[in-house]
Amino acid sequence: MKVLKVDHIGIAVKNLDETLKFYTEALGLELHGTETVEEQKVKVAFLPVGDTEVELLESTSPEGPIARFIEKKGEGIQHIAFKVENIEEAIEHMKEKGFRMIDEKPRYGAGGAKIAFMHPKSSHGVLVELSERED
Ligand code: ZN
């Protein structure tokens, strides 16, 4: 299995519109659109930075994973996504090596990507997302 790059950094925020001011006005990044992923109860804003991307995540429901994250830890970095060549192969690789996956089968994430989360206990406290998608 091969990691190609940091695909994106997922940041949990309470309010997208308020947070976007910082990323667009202070950092001068460009908003390249938003998407609601119903399955994840999340609204995502995409802000490309060079070869990678910042993804701001706002929960669409108080029961969603992002709402629960903010409740426990406050706003901040929620996950790091690595782009892999082949998601099925990457999941098999992790399982073979004894690393725990949250998703044992890929599912669809924002931007039409096939994604799978690893268990943070296997990745030393960082929620790691493996992601396969076209550029
Ligand atoms: Zn992500």
Side-chain angles (χ1 to χ4, degrees), residues 7-10 44 55 57 78-81 109-110 115 117 129 131:
D7 188 79
H8 62 269
I9 298 167
V44 189
E55 286 188 10
L57 311 160
Q78 198 253 352
H79 68 272
I80 294 188
I115 65 167
F117 281 98
E129 174 188 332
S131 170

Side-chain angles (χ1 to χ4, degrees), residues 31-77:
L31 174 64
H32 270 220
T34 59
E35 181 184 338
T36 299
V37 184
E38 260 333 310
E39 197 201 326
Q40 290 296 303
K41 298 185 170 63
V42 74
K43 190 175 168 196
V44 189
F46 306 95
L47 298 115
V49 187
D51 198 26
T52 188
E53 212 167 58
V54 168
E55 286 188 10
L56 303 177
L57 311 160
E58 182 194 288
S59 194
T60 57
S61 145
E63 281 88 54
I66 295 303
R68 290 203 308 265
F69 176 89
I70 290 174
E71 214 169 276
K72 266 205 259 175
K73 298 186 176 171
E75 292 184 299
I77 294 181

